[in-house]
Amino acid sequence: MRRVYLDHSATTPVDPEVAELMMTYYTEKYGNPSSVHSFGRETKAALENARESVANLMNAEPTEITFTSGGTEADNLAIFGVAEAYSKKGKHIITSAVEHNAVIDTCEFLAKNGYELTILPVDEEGFISVDDVAKAIRPDTILITIMHANNEVGTIQPIAEIGKIAKEKDVIFHVDAVQSFGKIPVDVKAMNVDLMTVSSHKIYGPKGVGALYIRRGVRVIPRVHGGGQERKRRSGTENTPGIIGFGKACELAAQRMAQDAEREAALRDKLLEGIMERIDYVKLNGPRGENRLPGNLNVSIQFIEGEALLLSLDLMGIAASSGSACTSGSLDPSHVLLAMGLSHEIAHGSLRFSFGRQNTEEDVDYVLEQLPKIVERLRMMSPLYDQVKHSKTQKANAL
Amino acid sequence: MYSEKVMDHFMNPRNVGEIEDAAGVGEVGNAKCGDIMRIYLDVEGDIIKDVKFKTFGCGAAVATSSMVTEMVKGKTIEEALKITNKSVADALDGLPPAKMHCSNLAADALHEAIKNYQEKMQNA
């Protein structure tokens, strides 16, 4: 059976070039970068080279990069680190309703422990209003944390404009760029970003590696204490094969970003058009055009439930994801879709396809061949679709 | 995550559809929480002669609906009332823990349909 992977926002395969390089640092160049001997020195050099590659892809200085175990740890380090370091200035934090749980849950934890939280709403396409950010800033605001691109609906936030306001008001600005880094241009200087979270496994690097950009002069209290690695910001022997793999993945992303984005956007648009032509009662979630991640498509297919769709697609070899409650592990569907004003019913029927380097036109054709059959089958079973069918026939009869 | 039986009932659901002028119809759940189950009964004497279902929901919701229709066909009302959500789940070789409370409502839908049938009989 054909297998089509359309879940690259969840994770990507490791690029073979990356995997090959990493293997060297597991079996041959295994020295601890803190060691003075030649084994340590050769690893240290490669580690610093990787730091430069990560920094280059966001226009930062290598010394401003702190490696972590992934995006979640970087988000935690940024938010807790700033909250603790600047608590004398104030205890107010601004975030949005569509952040990843690594940000939302961290902020909410702080809100239960003496901090105050403002959660900004989004419009129906998932955009935060720059005006809302400006209005939410108070004298005791110490941190604004807003994502660059949304993981579910691909909405790209006006980060540069928010960064400008944060700078004017002297508030630290953290950006979770896990979904955008390596896929669209990211420039910490042009965007006036103080802290930025990035992750390796979303861009064909290994899992278990991420980084936090910390602008020179911004204070962050460490969460992990020990041997003082990463300029004392994150102790623990560095995951050298992983970090070096991440560095290589950044170099490849820098070379391929423009062509990948163009290809993936074209495939995404072909899939969207095909779905709209073949299936009725479908709603696109998130914006069209430039302010959407090139590889992201999110649609709600009415009258059916997302997990049932995913199971059926999986049986045909197609991997996607959904914002339905059943796949979120809670009783509520995606907080992102609800924040965009979707009803629970429509949010339960959401389906996300995220494209990557290996996807082809044939993949899209295959999905377009299978999906309408699956939707038809599930709708036949759905009591919600009955009502629509009946009103359709009534309308047709009336005409 | 799902047993083979669940997947079989999800992919090849038994007794999907409606019964016109059904003796009893029961519906539970709501679209807000992502599950709606509707069960139609045809009763002759005291025997459930035919049963059909329509379900909006996840794999477990569809599979439990399908299973309950199989379990109840040809049974008496009294026997049908003894079927519980748990016995439906057991007949499917179990459900993941998270599904036990949210999507395991098929016996409730069946009992609603029986209640509806009994009310109709009383009013008739």
Side-chain angles (χ1 to χ4, degrees):
Chain A
M1 186 176 58
R2 197 185 173 95
R3 290 182 85 205
V4 176
Y5 186 75
L6 287 168
D7 205 12
H8 292 83
S9 287
T11 196
T12 58
V14 175
D15 188 287
E17 220 180 305
V18 170
E20 197 187 332
L21 178 66
M22 285 174 70
M23 190 50 82
T24 315
Y25 288 88
Y26 280 115
T27 56
E28 290 168 42
K29 301 180 179 176
Y30 48 80
N32 185 325
S34 297
S35 301
V36 286
H37 46 62
S38 66
F39 292 81
R41 288 200 308 273
E42 68 187 0
T43 316
K44 175 79 176 167
L47 177 71
E48 293 314 316
N49 187 38
R51 198 184 304 280
E52 206 173 320
S53 302
V54 175
N56 284 345
L57 195 53
M58 60 170 86
N59 194 24
E61 303 304 319
T63 54
E64 295 172 315
I65 302 296
T66 299
F67 287 112
T68 66
S69 65
T72 296
E73 190 195 331
D75 281 337
N76 274 261
L77 176 59
I79 296 166
F80 279 123
V82 166
E84 217 176 326
Y86 293 85
S87 62
K88 278 190 189 136
K89 184 196 167 194
K91 292 194 159 187
H92 179 236
I93 296 168
I94 298 169
T95 188
S96 88
V98 295
E99 298 301 309
H100 190 275
N101 283 97
V103 167
I104 288 193
D105 290 9
T106 306
C107 287
E108 279 176 355
F109 180 88
L110 284 170
K112 280 184 203 143
N113 288 278
Y115 288 79
E116 250 190 279
L117 195 56
T118 298
I119 301 173
L120 300 175
V122 295
D123 67 15
E124 68 276 11
E125 291 185 329
F127 290 108
I128 292 152
S129 137
V130 179
D131 260 8
D132 283 353
V133 179
K135 282 181 200 147
I137 296 173
R138 318 189 307 211
D140 62 338
T141 305
I142 50 170
L143 177 68
I144 300 168
T145 172
I146 304 273
M147 71 199 328
H148 190 193
N150 186 269
N151 48 311
E152 293 187 33
V153 292
T155 307
I156 299 170
Q157 303 297 346
I159 292 300
E161 289 171 66
I162 298 170
K164 198 165 157 253
I165 289 168
K167 194 182 179 189
E168 281 166 14
K169 305 266 186 161
D170 198 24
V171 178
I172 293 169
F173 184 30
H174 168 245
V175 172
D176 179 336
V178 165
Q179 291 291 340
S180 58
F181 182 66
K183 295 179 196 156
I184 56 171
V186 168
D187 183 327
V188 289
K189 293 194 177 82
M191 290 172 161
N192 276 310
V193 169
D194 296 306
L195 299 148
M196 192 167 80
T197 295
V198 296
S199 170
S200 154
H201 75 108
K202 310 289 191 191
I203 59 164
Y204 309 90
K207 293 164 184 64
V209 191
L212 182 66
Y213 157 79
I214 306 173
R215 180 189 292 277
R216 187 178 302 160
V218 172
R219 282 180 297 132
V220 171
I221 305 289
R223 303 292 296 166
V224 182
H225 302 271
Q229 289 88 345
E230 296 297 291
R231 303 166 80 85
K232 297 202 168 112
R233 283 165 169 162
R234 204 279 190 179
S235 286
T237 299
E238 300 87 342
N239 170 10
T240 46
I243 290 168
I244 291 160
F246 185 18
K248 186 73 193 172
C250 288
E251 288 168 29
L252 295 175
Q255 292 163 18
R256 305 195 44 154
M257 191 188 296
Q259 70 181 81
D260 280 353
E262 200 186 321
R263 262 194 73 245
E264 286 168 26
L267 291 174
R268 186 263 319 271
D269 292 344
K270 180 182 156 103
L271 181 57
L272 174 61
E273 280 164 33
I275 289 173
M276 292 297 189
E277 271 169 27
R278 287 166 180 81
I279 305 171
D280 55 2
Y281 299 100
V282 174
K283 181 187 180 304
L284 171 69
N285 298 319
R288 285 178 190 267
E290 279 180 9
N291 291 323
R292 182 181 197 119
L293 275 182
N296 172 288
L297 178 62
N298 189 310
V299 290
S300 279
I301 300 184
Q302 284 191 60
F303 319 119
I304 48 184
E305 192 275 338
E307 192 219 57
L309 271 168
L310 291 188
L311 283 176
S312 308
L313 285 166
D314 184 45
L315 286 165
M316 301 315 296
I318 300 165
S321 77
S322 167
S324 91
C326 286
T327 56
S328 72
S330 74
L331 289 177
D332 279 323
S334 144
H335 68 279
V336 174
L337 298 176
L338 294 181
M340 288 160 63
L342 265 71
S343 69
H344 278 66
E345 294 95 299
I346 308 275
H348 280 301
S350 75
L351 201 52
R352 180 188 74 181
F353 297 103
S354 43
F355 287 86
R357 280 181 196 156
Q358 286 157 344
N359 291 128
T360 60
E361 296 242 350
E362 288 71 36
D363 290 343
V364 174
D365 292 336
Y366 182 67
V367 175
L368 289 175
E369 186 191 316
Q370 298 301 330
L371 184 63
K373 288 190 267 185
I374 290 167
V375 170
E376 175 68 20
R377 190 182 89 82
L378 292 172
R379 281 185 176 167
M380 285 288 288
M381 276 192 250
S382 171
L384 298 175
Y385 192 56
D386 281 354
Q387 295 155 13
V388 179
K389 257 191 339 199
H390 290 160
S391 68
K392 257 165 106 181
T393 358
Q394 275 167 11
K395 257 188 223 162
N397 290 346
L399 292 171
Chain B
M1 141 190 178
Y2 285 133
S3 70
E4 271 178 41
K5 266 197 189 159
V6 171
M7 287 310 290
D8 176 40
H9 276 266
F10 171 64
M11 283 314 289
N12 310 295
R14 284 62 149 174
N15 307 306
V16 178
E18 295 166 44
I19 296 173
E20 264 186 62
D21 305 319
V25 182
E27 186 175 303
V28 293
N30 62 61
K32 193 169 179 257
C33 48
D35 286 306
I36 300 177
M37 295 178 190
R38 193 187 295 160
I39 287 195
Y40 302 82
L41 296 177
D42 190 5
V43 183
E44 233 181 62
D46 199 26
I47 306 286
I48 297 174
K49 219 183 105 206
D50 198 9
V51 51
K52 299 264 186 213
F53 83 89
K54 284 253 171 151
T55 289
F56 161 81
C58 65
V62 172
T64 51
S65 308
S66 166
M67 179 50 91
V68 87
T69 62
E70 270 210 330
M71 289 167 79
V72 83
K73 215 177 203 177
K75 296 271 163 56
T76 64
I77 295 286
E78 199 186 335
E79 286 166 330
L81 283 168
K82 284 183 192 150
I83 295 172
T84 63
N85 289 334
K86 186 173 180 307
S87 62
V88 176
D90 288 345
L92 287 164
D93 292 341
L95 288 173
K99 299 287 180 182
M100 285 303 284
H101 61 288
C102 64
S103 308
N104 188 17
L105 302 167
D108 294 347
L110 169 70
H111 297 159
E112 282 299 312
I114 292 173
K115 205 171 114 195
N116 176 251
Y117 162 71
Q118 288 170 336
E119 280 166 5
K120 277 189 189 171
M121 292 299 284
Q122 273 173 12
N123 295 337

